[in-house]
Amino acid sequence: MKNDFRQFDGLLRTIRQFFYSENFTEIYPRVLNSSVPLEPTVYPFSLNWDTTVGVEQLFLATSPERALKHALAGGVGNCYAIGKSFRTIEAPSDTHAPEFFMLEWYRKGAIWTDIMEDVEKLVTACCEGKTELDYQEKSIHCGLPWKRVSLIRLFREFAGCDLERLCDDSEMIRVCKSKGYKVDGASWEQLFNQIFLNEIEPKIGDDPVFLIDFPARISPLCALQEKNELFAQRFELYIGGMEIGNGNTESSDTATIRRVFERERTLRLEKNMEAPRIDGDFLNSLEAMKGTSYAGVGIGIERLAMILWNRKTIGEIVP
């Protein structure tokens, strides 16, 4: 047990040293928030704050993003946070817990490809010189550079369909019906995930890879690609066949993002689910960031530790 705490502390020291050398400012996110961004598929824990003047509803942070965007809007520049994050709804598993550490950072004047380079450098530093890792009887080759693989190619190769055409609702429904997936009452994102999780994710492989070309319609906080606005400037990092991080160039289109939040809030209220009020502070931060390009990423620290230390479940990462 003692060594587990020391090992985790060593990992956090390595992370902080990396950002210190890059001249980033560390931000310390609040755990309790009056609201949180209403991103689809991300659900917060809530609690009541009983005071002498009444009851106020608060929400546990789902990521450090809210605090970091506030800091960026205030002019702090390049910044990062290691924050406790909490998410409900999703069932516990070997790779998911309701409470976890998330590392998140943003660069000013950057785009998504700059952040992919950051990720390569940071994870390489955490590997402490190793270019090959043993993980669950797999040999992971983590020497640089890492591959960038398009979802357009993966959908064509492994699912036999055109991802660009699937961005149309009727085509997505038609394809999913032909594959035998559940379509009644399913959203476009749920249909996308049925194909991705069953036919794409198992074929990604074990070596580090950046998946790119995510549809814009499931990437509401991401800037659009200039050559094809059906797709977002977004990537996901996979190592050992497991998602480790999710990054992008930030969108500052606050009007569109507000509509996404309002639509999501309506859907949750219709289902009698917890629905935080629209996070005006978050939207104001995005508005203040207009005119400058920002890009960033969130990485699950326990998942990264699982890969580095060859642990089977997230629960084995003691802190």
Side-chain angles (χ1 to χ4, degrees):
M1 179 73 75
K2 180 170 62 177
N3 289 338
D4 289 335
F5 281 111
R6 286 177 175 172
Q7 193 171 25
F8 195 80
D9 178 67
L11 177 58
L12 296 188
R13 286 172 184 248
T14 298
I15 291 170
R16 287 192 165 98
Q17 180 58 42
F18 173 83
F19 287 107
Y20 178 79
S21 68
E22 294 285 326
N23 199 30
F24 276 58
T25 300
E26 183 169 6
I27 305 301
Y28 302 92
R30 293 181 180 274
V31 172
L32 296 176
N33 298 271
S34 58
S35 187
V36 292
L38 270 165
E39 298 180 68
T41 74
V42 177
Y43 301 94
F45 284 92
S46 68
L47 55 87
N48 288 330
W49 177 21
D50 296 312
T51 77
T52 56
V53 294
V55 178
E56 182 176 348
Q57 188 177 34
L58 297 174
F59 300 90
L60 300 184
T62 54
S63 76
E65 181 178 16
R66 190 173 190 262
L68 287 164
K69 294 288 176 64
H70 182 70
L72 290 170
V76 74
N78 297 347
C79 57
Y80 77 102
I82 298 171
K84 275 292 185 118
S85 301
F86 306 84
R87 297 183 183 183
T88 187
I89 299 295
E90 186 174 345
S93 67
D94 287 349
T95 60
H96 176 75
E99 175 185 359
F100 58 96
F101 281 96
M102 182 178 286
L103 163 66
E104 192 162 335
W105 73 89
Y106 292 91
R107 276 192 183 273
K108 182 179 180 180
I111 60 174
W112 59 318
T113 52
D114 299 315
I115 303 303
M116 283 190 268
E117 293 177 5
D118 274 351
V119 172
E120 288 179 328
K121 293 175 185 175
L122 172 66
V123 176
T124 297
C126 293
C127 288
E128 299 178 330
K130 297 178 182 177
T131 57
E132 192 163 315
L133 300 172
D134 293 323
Y135 174 66
Q136 302 304 303
E137 300 181 353
K138 306 171 183 177
S139 183
I140 298 174
H141 305 281
C142 49
L144 299 179
W146 296 345
K147 291 181 180 179
R148 277 82 164 147
V149 178
S150 171
L151 283 177
I152 297 172
R153 178 173 74 80
L154 294 179
F155 267 71
R156 182 174 59 249
E157 182 176 347
F158 298 123
C161 48
D162 185 329
L163 183 55
E164 186 166 346
R165 292 182 62 191
L166 288 180
C167 290
D168 176 75
D169 285 17
S170 60
E171 179 66 7
M172 175 64 87
I173 291 171
R174 184 192 70 79
V175 169
C176 286
K177 279 185 176 179
S178 71
K179 290 176 174 290
Y181 293 125
K182 179 182 177 182
V183 299
D184 293 340
S187 67
W188 189 93
E189 183 168 8
Q190 289 169 332
L191 297 176
F192 171 89
N193 285 335
Q194 287 186 78
I195 298 176
F196 177 77
L197 294 175
N198 287 290
E199 302 182 49
I200 308 300
E201 193 175 61
K203 308 290 181 57
I204 290 172
D206 298 321
D207 294 346
V209 60
F210 293 109
L211 299 187
I212 60 173
D213 295 331
F214 280 83
R217 60 186 301 170
I218 57 169
S219 311
L221 301 185
C222 307
L224 304 178
Q225 293 185 19
E226 294 180 1
K227 293 183 178 180
N228 190 340
E229 293 190 350
L230 287 174
F231 298 97
Q233 296 183 38
R234 172 185 170 190
F235 66 87
E236 287 189 1
L237 170 66
Y238 273 73
I239 307 178
M242 175 170 59
E243 181 198 344
I244 303 296
N246 192 335
N248 61 278
T249 307
E250 293 299 309
S251 170
S252 57
D253 182 356
T254 51
T256 297
I257 293 171
R258 177 181 287 276
R259 287 196 294 271
V260 170
F261 288 175
E262 289 173 345
R263 183 167 61 248
E264 181 65 22
R265 188 168 193 272
T266 298
L267 288 172
R268 294 188 190 189
L269 289 172
E270 289 174 350
K271 296 177 181 179
N272 293 317
M273 299 176 67
E274 198 72 73
R277 63 173 177 78
I278 301 301
D279 193 344
D281 291 339
F282 181 81
L283 292 172
N284 289 339
S285 295
L286 292 182
E287 188 70 27
M289 292 163 58
K290 283 187 174 180
T292 302
S293 178
Y294 294 89
V297 64
I299 289 179
I301 295 181
E302 285 95 339
R303 286 190 180 184
L304 177 60
M306 286 174 63
I307 299 292
L308 295 173
W309 307 338
N310 192 16
R311 301 296 174 86
K312 185 176 181 180
T313 72
I314 200 169
E316 295 178 41
I317 313 300
V318 172

